[in-house]
Amino acid sequence: MSTDEDFLKVAIGLARDHMEAGHGGPFGAVVVHEGRVIAEGWNQVTSRNDPTAHAEMVALREAAARLNRFSLAGCTLYTSCEPCPMCLAAAYWARIDGLVYAATRADAAAIGFDDDMLYRELALPVSERRLPMRLLLHEEALDVFTAWRDKPDKVPY
Amino acid sequence: MSTDEDFLKVAIGLARDHMEAGHGGPFGAVVVHEGRVIAEGWNQVTSRNDPTAHAEMVALREAAARLNRFSLAGCTLYTSCEPCPMCLAAAYWARIDGLVYAATRADAAAIGFDDDMLYRELALPVSERRLPMRLLLHEEALDVFTAWRDKPDKVPY
C-alpha cells in the first residue's frame, strides 16, 4: 500500500528529472485515484510555450482525460510545491478530495517565482491590482447569463 | 480601428453561440495583439472533459501557441465575465497588458458558478480552506529548488 510520502516522492522526482532535462521550472505533480497514479505532470511553460502548463495543470488535465470525466472527485493531487492560485483554483474546479504538497509559496518566491505575489494580487479589489482591468457592456453579458439560467438542457459543473 | 467594446462583443458572442451549441458554460474570451484578435476561447469543460478549459484559459493557450512564445506581453484579454482565480492568475503568468470584462464574479455566482467562493477560499490560510491540504517532505523539495537556483542554463519565466 503506497503512502502519501510515496506519491509525493514521485511528484518531486518528476520535478527534478524534467528540470534537469530543460523542460521547464522545477515542479512536478501526480494525480492518484483508488491508490494508483493515473496522471503525471511537470512544468512545460518554456518548452511548450504555454504559460498555463504548470505541473498541476498538466496532471489535472491528463487525469480528467484518463477518467473521461470533468470531475476528479475521488482523486488526490500530489505536488512538489504548494500550488499557485491558478493551479489551486483548478484543483477546486476539478473537485479533487485533497492535496499534498512539499515546498511552499515562500520557497517558490525565494527562487524567483511569483506565486506569493499572485496570492496577494488576487485578494485585492479589482481597482487596486497591478493588472489594469476594465468593466464594460455589463447588460449585454447578463443577457447571456439569463439565457444559461433558463437553458433546459444545460450540463452543470 | 476596433474599440474595447468591439472586441468585448466578440467575446460575448462566443459565450452565447457556444453555450447555445452545448459546448459548456456561458463564457467567451478573445486575445488581441496589435489591434487584431489572435485567439478565441469558449468554455469547454463539459464537452471536452477538461475542468481547466475555461474560455480565458483556452484563449490564452491558443494565443501563446499562435505567437510561439510563453509571454503574452503586448496582448489584451477580453472576456465576457470577470475571470475566476484560475484564469486571472493565468493572465498574470501570461504577462498580458490588461483585461476587459463584462459580467462580474457576483453575476456568475448568481447563476451557479463558484468564482466568488474560490476568491474567498484562496485568500484563507491553508489550514482554514475547505480543500484539505497537507505539507510533507519539505527538505526533499527544497533540494530541487536549490538545484534550479544553481542551474546555469535555465530559462526563467
Side-chain angles (χ1 to χ4, degrees):
Chain A
M1 189 72 182
S2 299
T3 64
D4 277 352
E5 282 80 359
D6 295 330
F7 291 128
L8 193 53
K9 279 181 188 172
V10 177
I12 295 171
L14 289 168
R16 181 179 292 278
D17 293 349
H18 290 280
M19 169 194 66
E20 288 175 353
H23 297 156
F27 306 100
V30 296
V31 174
V32 170
H33 180 244
E34 297 179 347
R36 286 179 40 244
V37 172
I38 61 164
E40 298 185 340
W42 52 89
N43 187 286
Q44 298 167 45
V45 169
T46 55
S47 56
R48 276 204 192 175
N49 284 329
D50 180 352
T52 76
H54 287 196
E56 300 95 323
M57 301 297 283
V58 174
L60 291 169
R61 299 181 74 214
E62 172 67 19
R66 214 42 98 72
L67 294 179
N68 204 31
R69 50 182 166 91
F70 54 83
S71 166
L72 295 179
C75 295
T76 302
L77 176 64
Y78 294 81
T79 170
S80 66
C81 184
E82 181 182 354
C84 81
M86 173 177 73
C87 297
L88 181 58
Y92 276 90
W93 284 119
R95 317 293 183 202
I96 62 164
D97 288 359
L99 193 155
V100 184
Y101 65 106
T104 68
R105 67 177 83 169
D107 301 325
I111 57 162
F113 292 97
D114 290 337
D115 303 45
D116 192 47
M117 178 276 286
L118 286 183
Y119 275 101
R120 282 181 277 113
E121 280 286 301
L122 265 63
L124 292 174
V126 167
S127 61
E128 293 175 25
R129 295 194 183 126
R130 297 182 192 188
L131 182 69
M133 291 179 65
R134 184 179 182 200
L135 174 69
L136 288 174
L137 303 178
H138 192 226
E139 292 304 318
E140 288 189 47
L142 283 186
D143 287 347
V144 181
F145 278 12
T146 303
W148 168 264
R149 190 195 64 201
D150 299 339
K151 185 175 167 63
D153 61 341
K154 62 175 172 271
V155 182
Y157 58 91
Chain B
M1 189 70 183
S2 298
T3 65
D4 277 350
E5 282 81 358
D6 295 329
F7 292 129
L8 192 54
K9 279 181 187 172
V10 178
I12 295 171
L14 289 168
R16 181 180 292 278
D17 293 349
H18 290 280
M19 170 195 67
E20 288 175 351
H23 296 156
F27 305 101
V30 296
V31 173
V32 170
H33 180 243
E34 297 179 348
R36 284 181 37 245
V37 172
I38 59 163
E40 299 185 340
W42 53 90
N43 188 286
Q44 298 168 46
V45 168
T46 56
S47 57
R48 275 203 191 176
N49 284 328
D50 180 351
T52 76
H54 287 195
E56 300 94 323
M57 301 296 283
V58 173
L60 291 169
R61 299 181 74 214
E62 172 68 19
R66 214 40 99 74
L67 295 180
N68 204 31
R69 49 182 166 90
F70 54 83
S71 166
L72 296 179
C75 296
T76 302
L77 177 64
Y78 294 81
T79 170
S80 66
C81 184
E82 181 184 353
C84 81
M86 172 178 73
C87 298
L88 181 58
Y92 276 90
W93 284 119
R95 317 292 181 204
I96 60 164
D97 288 359
L99 194 154
V100 184
Y101 64 107
T104 68
R105 68 176 84 169
D107 301 326
I111 57 162
F113 292 97
D114 290 338
D115 303 45
D116 191 47
M117 179 277 286
L118 287 182
Y119 274 101
R120 283 181 277 114
E121 280 287 300
L122 264 63
L124 292 174
V126 166
S127 61
E128 293 174 25
R129 294 192 184 128
R130 296 182 193 189
L131 182 70
M133 291 180 65
R134 185 180 181 199
L135 173 69
L136 288 175
L137 303 178
H138 191 226
E139 292 305 317
E140 288 190 47
L142 284 186
D143 286 348
V144 181
F145 279 13
T146 303
W148 168 264
R149 190 196 62 202
D150 298 339
K151 186 175 166 64
D153 61 342
K154 63 175 171 269
V155 182
Y157 59 91

